[in-house]
C-alpha cells in the first residue's frame, strides 16, 4: 500500500508511521528524521537545515529535493509501496508529490489525517522534550510549528478529501488505540482500494463516529 500522512506536530506521525511500516513491511520515509540525521552527521545539508529545524521553520523546498531523491530510490527498490511521514507540508509540496508520484504510478492510495487539538500536541511535545531533547521541542519552536501547520499544511486536507483518499482518525487517544484503528482501516482498504475508480472514492472521518453514536444511544 502507498500511504501518506498529514498531522500537526506531536500527533504521532512517527510512531504510527513506524507501526504501519512494520505491519506492511514497507519503507517508512520520515522527512524530519532524515533531516535530523543530516544534522547529526554534520553533512552539508545538515549545516543548511539545522537552524530551520531549531526554530521550527519549514526547510526550503530545494533542500528537501535531495532528501526525497534518495528516499524515492529506496521506495522504488522496495517495490513502490511506502508510508510517507512529514511531507507534504505545503500545497506546493502536495502538488509536486502528486505530479511526480502519478507519473511513476506511485500516488498514495490513502492519506491518513491524525487529528489532534493544539493543546494535546503541545503537552505531548513538552513531555517528549524532557526525554528526547529534540531541538525543536521548545515553547517558541512548538508555537511556530503549530502556526505553520494551521497556515500551510491544514489546507492540504481539503484537497485530499476532495480526491476521496483522506481517512481521519482521532489521534488524541493512546498510541495503541490509534494504531489499532489505523491498521484495521488499512487492512480493510488494502485488497479493494485500487479497484475503486478515482471518482467513486470518498473521504472517511472516523472522528465523527464518537459524538454521532453517543447521540444515537
Ligand atoms: P513534527 O511534525 O513533530 O514537527 P517532523 O520530524 O515531521 O516533526 O519535522 C521536524 C522539522 O523538519 C520541521 O519542523 C521542519 O523544520 C522540517 N521538515 C520536515 N519535513 C519537512 C517538509 N516537508 N518541508 C519543510 N520542512 C520539513
Amino acid at each position: 500500500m502507498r500511504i501518506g500522512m498529514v498531522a500537526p506536530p506531536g500527533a504521532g506521525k512517527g510512531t504510527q508511521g513506524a507501526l504501519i511500516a512494520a505491519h506492511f513491511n514497507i519503507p517508512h520515509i520520515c522527512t524530519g528524521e532524515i533531516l535530523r540525521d543530516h544534522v547529526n552527521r554534520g553533512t552539508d545539508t545538515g549545516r543548511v537545515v539545522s537552524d530551520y529545524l531549531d526554530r521550527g521553520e519549514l526547510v526550503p523546498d530545494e533542500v528537501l529535493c535531495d532528501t526525497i531523491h534518495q528516499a524515492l530510490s529506496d521506495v522504488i527498490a522496495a517495490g513502490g509501496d511506502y508510508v510517507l511521514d512529514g511531507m507534504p507540508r505545503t500545497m506546493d509540496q502536495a502538488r509536486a508529490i502528486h505530479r511526480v508520484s502519478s507519473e511513476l504510478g506511485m500516488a498514495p492510495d490513502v492519506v491518513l489525517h491524525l487529528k489532534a487539538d493544539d493543546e494535546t500536541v503541545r503537552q505531548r511535545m513538552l513531555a517528549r522534550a524532557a526525554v528526547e531533547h529534540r531541538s525543536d521541542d521548545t515553547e517558541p519552536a512548538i508555537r511556530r510549528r503549530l502556526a505553520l501547520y494551521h497556515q500551510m499544511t491544514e489546507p492540504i486536507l481539503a484537497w485530499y478529501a476532495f480526491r476521496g483518499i483522506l481517512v481521519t482518525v482521532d489521534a488524541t487517544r493512546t498510541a495503541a488505540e490509534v494504531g489499532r484503528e489505523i491498521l484495521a482501516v488499512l487492512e480493510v482498504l488494502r485488497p479493494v482500494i485500487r479497484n475503486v475508480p478515482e471518482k467513486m472514492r470518498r473521504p472517511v472521518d472516523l472522528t465523527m463516529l464518537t459524538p454521532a453514536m453517543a447521540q444515537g444511544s
Side-chain angles (χ1 to χ4, degrees):
M1 270 196 117
R2 298 185 294 263
I3 300 148
M5 286 202 286
V6 177
K13 285 191 309 283
T15 307
Q16 302 304 338
L19 176 78
I20 296 165
H23 180 82
F24 291 107
N25 193 23
I26 55 179
H28 177 200
I29 303 161
C30 177
T31 56
E33 274 303 318
I34 296 171
L35 295 171
R36 278 191 291 279
D37 184 54
H38 273 285
V39 174
N40 291 338
R41 287 187 290 121
T43 65
D44 289 344
T45 304
R47 271 188 290 280
V48 174
V49 301
S50 151
D51 192 43
Y52 288 94
L53 295 188
D54 291 353
R55 287 184 289 123
E57 295 292 340
L58 298 179
V59 309
D61 283 350
E62 313 83 80
V63 184
L64 263 190
C65 272
D66 279 357
T67 318
I68 298 317
H69 203 259
Q70 179 56 47
L72 204 60
S73 324
D74 296 348
V75 164
I76 291 170
D81 286 348
Y82 58 79
V83 51
L84 179 58
D85 156 0
M87 217 188 141
R89 265 178 154 85
T90 65
M91 241 358 265
D92 279 352
Q93 289 182 5
R95 287 197 200 92
I97 292 176
H98 181 66
R99 197 182 53 247
V100 175
S101 65
S102 301
E103 275 167 15
L104 293 168
M106 283 170 30
D109 301 306
V110 176
V111 173
L112 290 170
H113 168 205
L114 308 187
K115 189 173 178 182
D117 58 280
D118 285 12
E119 193 43 32
T120 302
V121 295
R122 206 179 70 84
Q123 294 298 342
R124 283 188 192 170
M125 286 184 275
L126 290 174
R128 178 170 71 184
V131 185
E132 285 184 24
H133 308 294
R134 245 177 73 165
S135 67
D136 57 352
D137 283 343
T138 60
E139 288 269 13
I142 290 171
R143 241 193 325 275
R144 183 64 186 145
R145 284 153 70 201
L146 281 169
L148 279 172
Y149 175 74
H150 292 304
Q151 189 191 335
M152 309 294 288
T153 312
E154 226 164 24
I156 302 170
L157 294 172
W159 192 68
Y160 282 130
F162 178 75
R163 309 186 70 80
I165 59 171
L166 192 72
V167 174
T168 304
V169 298
D170 174 2
T172 62
R173 296 165 298 162
T174 66
E177 284 172 311
V178 178
R180 218 174 289 135
E181 184 166 274
I182 288 175
L183 292 187
V185 170
L186 293 178
E187 279 294 1
V188 169
L189 288 175
R190 184 158 72 127
V192 292
I193 190 75
R194 288 180 195 162
N195 299 328
V196 180
E198 280 185 22
K199 277 194 185 145
M200 306 213 23
R201 296 183 184 182
R202 298 284 177 272
V204 187
D205 185 350
L206 296 173
T207 68
M208 303 296 281
L209 293 178
T210 320
M213 291 187 134
Q215 263 174 14
S217 64

